[in-house]
Amino acid sequence: MPPKKKKGGKKKGKKKKDDAELELEDKYRKTMDEIEALKDHLAIRKEIARRSQSMGDEWKAQVKQAEKQVQELKDDHQSVSADMTRQYKTMQTDLSIQIHDLKTKLERTQRELEKTQQDLADTRAERDKIIKEKDSEILDLQVKIQSQEEAYEKILNNTLDSLSEKIKNARLVWVDKESMIAQKNKATLLEFGLNPLDL
């Protein structure tokens, strides 16, 4: 008998066809994703271009405004230049008068300064005298404070020593009382037939 053909041959052909369809679908999906990405990119580019155009229009308007301002400044400069020439001549005259007035004021101020410097020297001497007196008072007070501190320290030490002695005596009393209570407790336990060492 001739050998039987395997039935798997048809399945392999169908499997290859399914793989091809899957691969085609993957490519289609990838292409669609790329198209969507390109659309998004294009939308962003359009928005950037729109903003750039808007900013360009704004800059053009600003340039026109600046040109207008420059022309106005040129016109103002001419009128200001003529006005400044007139003001300069007036200012020269005013400055001559001011210089004379300032010289007079300077002489008067120098005299006042000399008087003020003398007053300052007197004030400093008086201040130094007061400072010396105050320093002397402070030194006396410091000596008194020191002696008071020593006295208070002595009182405090005596009080603490006395308090320590009282605490020591009280402790001795409590130790005696404790010993008596312990003896009573032992006696009581022994009366009941209990040995305190067994507890």
Side-chain angles (χ1 to χ4, degrees):
M1 284 182 78
K4 292 183 179 180
K5 292 183 178 178
K6 292 183 180 178
K7 294 181 179 179
K10 289 183 181 179
K11 286 185 181 177
K12 283 185 181 177
K14 189 174 183 181
K15 189 175 181 183
K16 284 182 182 177
K17 188 176 180 183
D18 289 343
D19 289 345
E21 285 179 5
L22 287 173
E23 187 177 344
L24 186 61
E25 284 179 9
D26 285 344
K27 285 182 180 178
Y28 175 74
R29 275 198 298 274
K30 285 180 183 175
T31 305
M32 291 305 291
D33 290 343
E34 289 175 2
I35 289 170
E36 287 299 320
L38 288 170
K39 282 182 180 178
D40 291 343
H41 186 65
L42 183 60
I44 291 169
R45 294 280 261 215
K46 282 183 179 178
E47 179 63 21
I48 291 171
R50 185 189 65 73
R51 289 183 184 172
S52 298
Q53 181 66 34
S54 174
M55 288 179 69
D57 294 341
E58 287 178 15
W59 280 107
K60 284 179 184 176
Q62 289 180 8
V63 168
K64 285 183 181 178
Q65 182 67 24
E67 288 174 350
K68 183 180 176 184
Q69 288 176 353
V70 168
Q71 188 58 45
E72 289 174 357
L73 285 171
K74 283 182 181 177
D75 297 340
D76 290 343
H77 178 69
Q78 290 177 348
S79 61
V80 167
S81 180
D83 189 49
M84 283 183 71
T85 304
R86 180 187 58 77
Q87 286 181 11
Y88 177 72
K89 290 179 181 177
T90 304
M91 188 174 65
Q92 276 185 324
T93 306
D94 291 344
L95 278 174
S96 298
I97 295 168
Q98 285 180 10
I99 287 169
H100 180 265
D101 289 344
L102 286 171
K103 282 182 179 178
T104 306
K105 286 180 181 177
L106 178 61
E107 290 172 2
R108 186 171 64 246
T109 304
Q110 283 177 333
R111 287 193 298 271
E112 290 175 355
L113 177 61
E114 288 172 3
K115 184 180 181 302
T116 303
Q117 284 177 335
Q118 184 58 46
D119 291 344
L120 178 60
D122 295 342
T123 304
R124 283 181 176 165
E126 183 67 22
R127 183 201 64 186
D128 291 342
K129 180 182 173 186
I130 292 169
I131 287 172
K132 285 180 183 176
E133 290 173 356
K134 294 296 179 188
D135 285 345
S136 177
E137 288 178 15
I138 289 169
L139 188 60
D140 291 342
L141 287 172
Q142 284 177 340
V143 170
K144 288 179 182 177
I145 289 169
Q146 181 67 29
S147 64
Q148 286 180 352
E149 283 179 354
E150 289 172 359
Y152 287 142
E153 185 178 354
K154 187 176 179 182
I155 291 168
L156 184 61
N157 286 334
N158 290 337
T159 304
L160 287 174
D161 290 343
S162 173
L163 186 60
S164 293
E165 188 64 29
K166 287 180 181 178
I167 290 171
K168 188 192 287 184
N169 292 335
R171 184 174 175 278
L172 291 172
V173 170
W174 279 106
V175 167
D176 290 342
K177 284 186 179 181
E178 181 186 6
S179 177
M180 287 173 58
I181 291 169
Q183 289 297 330
K184 283 182 182 179
N185 287 339
K186 273 185 189 179
T188 304
L189 288 171
L190 288 170
E191 283 177 14
F192 287 107
L194 298 173
N195 188 353
L197 298 176
D198 295 337
L199 296 178

